[in-house]
Amino acid sequence: MEPTPSIERAYAQARDRYATLGVDTERALARLDEIAISMHCWQGDDVRGFEQPDRPLTGGISATGDYPGRARTADELRADVDLAMAVIPGPKRFNLHASYLEAARPVERTDIGPEHFQRWVDWARDRRIGLDFNPTLFSHPKSDGGATLSHPDPAIRRYWIDHCRASRLVSAHFGAALGTRSVMNTWIPDGSKDLPYDRFGPRQRLVEALDQVMATPLPRQHHRDAVEGKLFGLGVEAYTVGSQELYLAYATRKNLMICLDAGHYHPTEAVSDKISSVIGFVDGVLLHVSRPVRWDSDHVVVLDDETQAIAHELVRGDVLDRVAIALDFFDASINRVAAWVIGTRNVRRALLRALLEPGAQLAALEARRDFTARLALLEEQKSLPWGAVWDHYCERSGVPVGMAWLDTVRAYERRVLGERDAA
């Protein structure tokens, strides 16, 4: 792609402007190109998966909207992801749920293995990207009672323990086959719609079940375990077994990663404030970047204050190497491919802005306790020409600048997505 003179002139001016504050834009862009964002399978098909795509969603999972073009097969989903990745700059990964397996006949979730994901591995290898994984503990007859790993029935509990064990082996296979470790995140829908009498019992069973799931050590260079808590969900408004407090304590004791999901807290809480509190005590942090509206409604990520604050914390704390960044939203009311593009580009925009912050100057002012100048510079840097740096980054990454990516997505919608509903 030939450089656009106007974009290059704007970048040269921005580069010089940042240099006056001690910021090297080329160094920032080089660091940005080392940060992979894990895109999520469930945006493309409304969390249906390919196990039994017509099975109803349960466990508090709900994708709202009926925009045409939902992926119906794994091949369609891969094609959609390819299109999205082609207009997003920077390194990407892909995050799979166990229910996105490919098999000639039905497979019990306890029996999944690497062979059921081989086409995903081949696809990822061809694109030189890594895969991440999640056991699927929802939308299944054995999860309909609102309990899985905490279920009082030992047989049902055993089923989900065996599923999670099998999932860990799939995750480790991803890491070994692709040469980049897979992060496996465990989330369960367990809880109660109304006030329970016994809060202790389910949590004790959950911990005991997790102990059995994690009992077999796996190579760290191939696989890492994360656990994800939640404040509440649909159908479990009164009591969530896998709370943030429980999982934080468990991850600390077992040296696991803790998943911080931007939508899983009270509206007055912020994930950006939690990162520095927890990262020193766990094996790392998995971030699920999402956008809650009123509650955990998993809207497409926008470049809002909290998304930017999360990126700032990662850069200011120099913890990018201890954090895995993933997306978690599913919006069926708009073009699903566009949702991936908007969300992923916004997370990378936030990371770029954080990397362009005059951190050395801000740290020096804070060390001198010159809080007046610190506040002045924090506000002044918000209007620095980061947009010119972003445009330059997109162009040199070979992806569309500005809104031009939407033309590509619209053409794909007319040519491919529209035909799916017509078929």
Side-chain angles (χ1 to χ4, degrees):
M1 181 182 292
E2 286 294 318
T4 304
S6 60
I7 290 176
E8 290 307 295
R9 285 194 300 270
Y11 173 65
Q13 293 173 348
R15 182 188 60 213
D16 294 344
R17 176 81 180 278
Y18 275 106
T20 65
L21 294 173
V23 176
D24 183 339
T25 57
E26 286 299 316
R27 183 178 178 183
L29 291 175
R31 184 69 179 102
L32 184 62
D33 258 339
E34 297 172 348
I35 306 167
I37 298 172
S38 194
M39 297 169 60
H40 53 312
C41 61
W42 48 97
Q43 169 55 38
D45 75 324
D46 305 343
V47 212
R48 297 286 181 179
F50 307 117
E51 182 185 49
Q52 293 185 36
D54 296 328
R55 176 180 285 169
L57 294 176
T58 63
I61 304 296
S62 177
T64 55
D66 56 358
Y67 199 91
R70 176 177 68 84
R72 301 160 301 180
T73 68
D75 284 334
E76 288 182 351
L77 183 60
R78 282 188 284 264
D80 293 354
V81 179
D82 281 339
L83 192 282
M85 286 186 171
V87 295
I88 299 168
K92 275 83 68 175
R93 300 176 62 86
F94 199 59
N95 194 4
L96 284 170
H97 250 282
S99 55
Y100 286 71
L101 81 172
E102 294 176 89
R105 50 184 171 272
V107 177
E108 280 291 343
R109 291 189 186 177
T110 53
D111 298 331
I112 62 168
E115 66 274 17
H116 302 123
F117 299 89
Q118 189 57 48
R119 294 189 69 205
W120 285 109
V121 171
D122 294 341
W123 171 81
R125 185 184 292 113
D126 288 345
R127 285 145 187 81
R128 298 182 180 180
I129 64 173
L131 293 175
D132 299 303
F133 201 57
N134 309 261
T136 306
L137 291 95
F138 54 84
S139 298
H140 189 277
K142 285 186 167 60
S143 66
D144 285 349
T148 58
L149 290 177
S150 72
H151 203 288
D153 183 337
I156 292 180
R157 200 160 63 247
R158 170 54 54 189
Y159 182 90
W160 293 113
I161 290 170
D162 289 345
H163 171 60
C164 291
R165 282 175 165 174
S167 295
R168 293 182 79 231
L169 297 179
V170 172
S171 174
H173 174 74
F174 287 170
L178 298 171
T180 173
R181 75 182 182 206
S182 168
V183 176
M184 191 189 93
N185 183 49
T186 300
W187 172 82
I188 64 173
D190 300 29
S192 173
K193 182 174 179 63
D194 214 333
L195 297 172
Y197 169 74
D198 177 17
R199 293 174 180 269
F200 285 83
R203 286 175 172 154
Q204 289 169 347
R205 291 192 293 270
L206 172 57
V207 169
E208 290 168 1
L210 287 172
D211 284 346
Q212 295 179 61
V213 169
M214 311 291 178
T216 303
L218 295 174
R220 285 176 54 81
Q221 70 270 28
H222 298 156
H223 165 88
R224 301 281 285 280
D225 285 296
V227 286
E228 178 182 3
K230 195 169 185 177
L231 181 63
F232 78 98
L234 284 174
V236 290
E237 291 86 355
Y239 171 63
T240 300
V241 180
S243 66
Q244 176 65 24
E245 293 81 6
L246 182 145
Y247 282 136
L248 180 57
Y250 190 81
T252 303
R253 191 179 80 182
K254 295 289 188 176
N255 197 33
L256 308 178
M257 297 181 76
I258 187 73
C259 178
L260 303 180
D261 186 301
H264 283 193
Y265 301 92
H266 190 276
T268 60
E269 294 183 278
V271 162
S272 57
D273 187 51
K274 298 180 186 298
I275 297 168
S276 59
S277 298
V278 306
I279 200 165
F281 303 96
V282 291
D283 192 37
V285 169
L286 168 62
L287 285 175
H288 273 189
V289 188
S290 183
R291 177 168 54 107
V293 176
R294 302 284 189 268
W295 67 290
D296 177 33
S297 44
D298 289 313
H299 287 64
V300 179
V301 175
V302 297
L303 192 58
D304 58 7
D305 289 346
E306 177 58 9
T307 301
Q308 189 60 65
I310 289 170
H312 275 139
E313 284 299 294
L314 300 181
V315 173
R316 292 172 184 175
D318 192 22
V319 294
L320 281 163
D321 292 335
R322 297 197 59 210
V323 172
I325 303 174
L327 303 179
D328 183 8
F329 52 80
F330 36 99
D331 190 341
S333 69
I334 63 174
N335 182 298
R336 295 169 183 81
V337 177
W340 266 320
V341 178
I342 293 167
T344 315
R345 283 174 68 119
N346 276 332
V347 174
R348 196 161 291 283
R349 276 193 185 96
L351 290 166
L352 174 61
R353 290 184 68 185
L355 289 163
L356 290 172
E357 194 173 49
Q361 287 204 31
L362 287 164
L365 292 170
E366 188 160 285
R368 295 201 300 269
R369 300 185 67 78
D370 187 347
F371 302 143
T372 302
R374 180 189 64 184
L375 180 60
L377 182 55
L378 277 169
E379 293 306 299
E380 190 63 28
Q381 60 95 27
K382 291 178 180 178
S383 60
L384 289 173
W386 67 270
V389 183
W390 170 257
D391 287 347
H392 167 79
Y393 176 64
C394 287
E395 186 165 86
R396 85 178 195 184
S397 299
V399 305
V401 175
M403 288 282 289
W405 65 263
L406 188 57
D407 295 336
T408 303
V409 173
R410 289 295 193 201
Y412 182 76
E413 181 176 10
R414 290 190 296 271
R415 188 179 72 255
V416 177
L417 303 181
E419 293 300 314
R420 291 178 189 171
D421 284 358

